[in-house]
Amino acid sequence: MEDQKKRVLSAIQPTGEIHYGNYFGAIKNWVRLQEKYECVFGVVNYHAMTMPYNADKLRFNTWELIYNLLAIGVKPETLFIQSLVPEHTELSWIFSCFSSFGNVSRMTQFKDKSSQSKESQKDNFISTGLFTYPVLQAADILIYKADYVPVGKDQDQHLELSRDIAQRFNHQVGKDYFAMPETLHTETPKIKSTADPKKKMSKSAGEKHAISVFGDIQRIQKQIKSAVTDAGDSVEGVMSEGVENLFEILKASDELDMYNGLMADYKDGNLKYVDLKEATANALVKQTTLFTERKKELVADKRAVKDQIKSTSSDIRKRAQQTIKEVKELTGLLNVKF
Ligand code: TRP
């Protein structure tokens, strides 16, 4: 029965292109989770305004991310755009009254991001939204009464806060209304930058540190060809971080025969880096080609995709409205009729 399936919720900010670190670390896992759970995946555009941004870019990135997620294999019926479910922000306000200032102040992502923006900005603007962002995240999760949230370790603190809020809410209303959401720690490959394998793959360090999933094939080939294999500090008998990273990409791409063959070469001391690089580049090109092909079909009729996602968002919104209705009843707020 569908009702017995556990609920999974995750979300991603529309802040730019998807790179292979995002793909192997998160989105590929979303595609898998759809088979086993009742999934809801959000493109969280309210979150994307917490840092300095541009309206046209936000609009563009929101739809681009939708096309990209669909092309990768996320099912349309699981997908929604956060601003099409405005109840998230309503619940977020209510939750801000159920979260302690002290707890929210301890969130390290705020500390990291607010110091980042200090460096990158002349006017030193740090929004209150950046500070209360984890409260909105708690609303994203609890509004669908999610059981599991597949996120990386960096989000553990935010999940903890979501549980604190749920607990305080339940205590206040004298009822176990919200179940405690749990982090779903699936082992996902953590891909490093090929330009500097000491860093994780990410755009924030600079363009060359991320390989774009929907990028240009030649650029991908070049990025792998110039991948750092030996940073000059290698230790005899220990695989260098760069080489390990290429093997990791190969494995994450499900190229197991290639992986095993090249690993055997490595163990015999016969591995040629060019072979490893060629295999890795081919693996990525194969995936990029497939996804780009599928994306081409989707963008050929943008109107249809947009209509579809607006409609799935509105279906998903019904659940959010139900929660809001109950929450307002429980907290003594008068309800609008809908
Ligand atoms: N905070 C997450 C990130 O920075 C994005 C996010 C927003 C999220 N709301 C969420 C993740 C709800 C999981 C569940 O990556």
Side-chain angles (χ1 to χ4, degrees):
M1 236 160 63
E2 202 188 333
D3 276 348
Q4 285 172 331
K5 272 195 184 171
K6 295 273 187 195
R7 274 198 186 165
V8 161
L9 175 128
S10 201
I12 180 168
Q13 293 190 49
T15 44
E17 289 173 24
I18 296 176
H19 57 68
Y20 271 104
N22 307 131
Y23 174 63
F24 291 129
I27 299 161
K28 192 172 183 202
N29 193 34
W30 289 12
V31 176
R32 258 194 306 257
L33 292 170
Q34 295 179 126
E35 306 306 322
K36 196 164 153 207
Y37 298 100
E38 189 193 328
C39 294
V40 186
F41 298 122
V43 169
V44 288
N45 48 356
Y46 285 129
H47 284 271
M49 325 170 64
T50 54
M51 298 288 274
Y53 81 103
N54 165 294
D56 287 329
K57 247 200 193 139
L58 179 58
R59 211 176 345 255
F60 175 82
N61 284 341
T62 301
W63 287 118
E64 273 295 301
L65 185 51
I66 292 283
Y67 303 136
N68 290 347
L69 292 173
L70 290 172
I72 287 173
V74 177
K75 293 182 187 156
E77 60 273 21
T78 66
L79 261 184
F80 73 97
I81 294 174
Q82 193 185 27
S83 66
L84 298 180
V85 188
E87 284 73 16
H88 286 236
T89 59
E90 187 172 2
L91 188 59
S92 170
W93 171 259
I94 297 172
F95 280 176
S96 71
C97 301
F98 286 92
S99 47
S100 92
F101 186 79
N103 271 353
V104 179
S105 308
R106 276 194 285 277
M107 298 294 120
T108 50
Q109 196 179 48
F110 172 74
K111 291 181 196 166
D112 295 348
K113 285 202 172 179
S114 57
S115 57
Q116 243 177 47
S117 76
K118 253 182 221 155
E119 284 160 25
S120 61
Q121 270 187 273
K122 290 174 257 67
D123 61 357
N124 210 3
F125 181 79
I126 295 158
S127 74
T128 309
L130 185 63
F131 181 73
T132 54
Y133 169 121
V135 180
L136 179 59
Q137 181 166 354
D140 298 339
I141 296 165
L142 294 169
I143 206 161
Y144 302 112
K145 314 220 174 101
D147 300 297
Y148 298 125
V149 185
V151 279
K153 281 238 170 300
D154 63 323
Q155 297 294 316
D156 279 354
Q157 238 193 345
H158 293 165
L159 257 291
E160 192 67 50
L161 182 78
S162 302
R163 285 189 290 269
D164 286 347
I165 293 174
Q167 231 148 24
R168 195 171 178 83
F169 182 93
N170 289 353
H171 184 75
Q172 160 85 24
V173 304
K175 191 177 165 182
D176 274 342
Y177 179 71
F178 287 118
M180 300 300 130
E182 281 173 47
T183 314
L184 191 65
H185 277 310
T186 321
E187 256 329 302
T188 54
K190 305 286 175 279
I191 305 300
K192 308 275 176 41
S193 156
T194 48
D196 179 358
K198 292 197 187 318
K199 294 192 178 119
K200 74 172 195 182
M201 183 174 285
S202 126
K203 262 171 312 192
S204 45
E207 285 298 315
K208 65 173 184 186
H209 292 286
I211 302 178
S212 213
V213 174
F214 292 89
D216 173 64
I217 300 282
Q218 261 137 33
R219 178 158 189 268
I220 294 174
Q221 282 163 332
K222 221 166 104 197
Q223 278 176 295
I224 296 295
K225 207 168 166 187
S226 59
V228 173
T229 43
D230 187 349
D233 55 0
S234 61
V235 183
E236 189 62 35
V238 179
M239 190 185 275
S240 77
E241 287 155 313
V243 172
E244 202 179 338
N245 192 38
L246 294 174
F247 271 115
E248 194 66 24
I249 295 174
L250 207 50
K251 191 159 84 182
S253 307
D254 303 318
E255 298 288 348
L256 294 186
D257 289 346
M258 241 341 163
Y259 175 89
N260 290 332
L262 290 163
M263 196 50 104
D265 289 349
Y266 172 80
K267 284 185 181 139
D268 296 342
N270 292 331
L271 176 71
K272 292 198 197 75
Y273 291 159
V274 277
D275 294 343
L276 176 61
K277 285 182 173 182
E278 191 182 271
T280 311
N282 288 344
L284 292 186
V285 166
K286 193 161 126 194
Q287 293 163 95
T288 288
T289 307
L290 172 69
F291 297 151
T292 305
E293 219 22 66
R294 291 204 209 135
K295 180 175 179 178
K296 234 197 215 145
E297 288 166 24
L298 289 159
V299 298
D301 193 352
K302 286 188 179 170
R303 188 74 271 149
V305 177
K306 287 183 179 180
D307 285 346
Q308 184 178 32
I309 295 303
K310 282 178 187 168
S311 143
T312 57
S313 298
S314 124
D315 289 342
I316 289 172
R317 184 180 183 194
K318 293 195 183 97
R319 294 196 221 164
Q321 284 178 320
Q322 183 60 29
T323 303
I324 282 290
K325 184 169 164 255
E326 291 163 2
V327 162
K328 287 171 92 170
E329 272 160 18
L330 288 166
T331 51
L333 292 162
L334 303 185
N335 250 311
V336 231
K337 272 215 159 68
F338 50 76

